Amino acid sequence: MNRDSRIVPSRYPKRAHHDPETIYPILDEALFCTMSFVHEGRVRSIPQSIVRVGDAVYFHASVGSHFFRSLAELEEVCITVTLADDIVVAKTAFNHSVNYRSVVMWGKPEVIDEHDEKYAAFKTLTEKMVPGSWDYLLPMTDKQMAKTMAIKVPITEASAKVRQGPPSDVESEEPIWTGLIPIKTVRGAPVPGPDAAGISLPAHLVSPTSVKE
């Protein structure tokens, strides 16, 4: 992985990591990212669902998207993800912080037309969002495939930045509480849609917190 100067943060560089063993798990846990690029002389940022397959990340978009149709012409995009783990509460507001894991990466986007790679990207993204659902759902049709773009960005230039641990604070005897407030992303119990009346919750959606229909 390239070690360009822009992937070395100027603030707390010791928190930076450039190894796939740190970067890939963060990308795998993140459901969403922000993709930024310059188009027609203006900076654009688009929130996107994201999935990693090997040494690349994939996205999907409608073929009618004005912005995404232009991606193949771009030299690079910047992709960022952040996972917040704790609010760090210190004795001073100045020293409040966040325990987090983040990734910033740059790469040249490629629109995927090859059927098998495109199909595999959609399947992997769907399974990431709703594990176990691909084989349960109606099969994806060729018409649906044709209406959906698959965009690939190789992971060639990337940096993770991680902060974990208790607050760093001024030395003081004042009785002020310090510590961590955990931030958790939790999947709640599925809520049936209008067409699901009388249909049992499928096994892949059942979790310890799910209520069976």
Side-chain angles (χ1 to χ4, degrees), residues 27 30 32-36 45-46 48 50 59 77-82 102-106:
L27 294 174
F32 307 103
C33 71
T34 299
M35 178 189 291
S36 302
S45 287
I46 300 178
Q48 274 289 112
I50 182 173
F59 309 89
V77 295
C78 179
I79 297 162
T80 60
V81 304
T82 301
S102 65
V103 169
V104 179
M105 61 168 282
W106 291 265

Side-chain angles (χ1 to χ4, degrees), residues 5-210:
S5 61
R6 67 179 174 178
I7 66 174
V8 179
S10 59
R11 183 73 169 156
Y12 298 117
K14 291 183 178 180
R15 294 181 183 173
H17 302 265
H18 304 95
D19 56 291
E21 291 76 18
T22 302
I23 293 170
Y24 287 4
I26 297 172
L27 294 174
D28 292 345
E29 184 174 341
L31 295 177
F32 307 103
C33 71
T34 299
M35 178 189 291
S36 302
F37 53 95
V38 177
H39 177 60
E40 296 178 346
R42 302 183 69 179
V43 177
R44 317 283 185 174
S45 287
I46 300 178
Q48 274 289 112
S49 53
I50 182 173
V51 67
R52 181 185 67 87
V53 181
D55 296 327
V57 292
Y58 288 80
F59 309 89
H60 80 291
S62 168
V63 295
S65 170
H66 173 62
F67 293 139
F68 280 97
R69 286 202 309 269
S70 68
L71 283 180
E73 304 169 5
L74 301 178
E75 285 302 313
E76 68 176 8
V77 295
C78 179
I79 297 162
T80 60
V81 304
T82 301
L83 303 173
D85 296 314
D86 307 282
I87 296 173
V88 180
V89 181
K91 287 189 176 183
T92 65
F94 179 82
N95 286 310
H96 276 31
S97 187
V98 175
N99 283 337
Y100 64 90
R101 293 161 289 144
S102 65
V103 169
V104 179
M105 61 168 282
W106 291 265
K108 180 173 177 55
E110 175 187 355
V111 176
I112 302 301
D113 294 319
E114 200 277 322
H115 180 277
D116 290 348
E117 183 178 3
K118 188 176 180 180
Y119 184 91
F122 294 156
K123 178 178 179 179
T124 307
L125 178 59
T126 302
E127 284 291 302
K128 181 179 182 180
M129 291 293 174
V130 188
S133 65
W134 186 263
D135 292 334
Y136 173 81
L137 301 171
L138 295 172
M140 193 169 192
T141 65
D142 290 341
K143 186 176 181 180
Q144 291 168 338
M145 289 273 288
K147 288 184 175 181
T148 311
M149 295 174 61
I151 300 100
K152 174 183 179 179
V153 181
I155 307 171
T156 56
E157 187 178 351
S159 175
K161 194 174 182 184
V162 178
R163 190 225 192 262
Q164 300 289 298
S168 303
D169 216 332
V170 295
E171 293 186 6
S172 171
E173 299 300 322
E174 291 294 325
I176 297 173
W177 189 91
T178 65
L180 305 178
I181 301 174
I183 302 171
K184 302 297 181 184
T185 299
V186 179
R187 294 184 184 231
V191 179
D195 294 336
I199 300 175
S200 298
L201 192 67
H204 68 275
L205 294 180
V206 177
S207 71
T209 58
S210 296

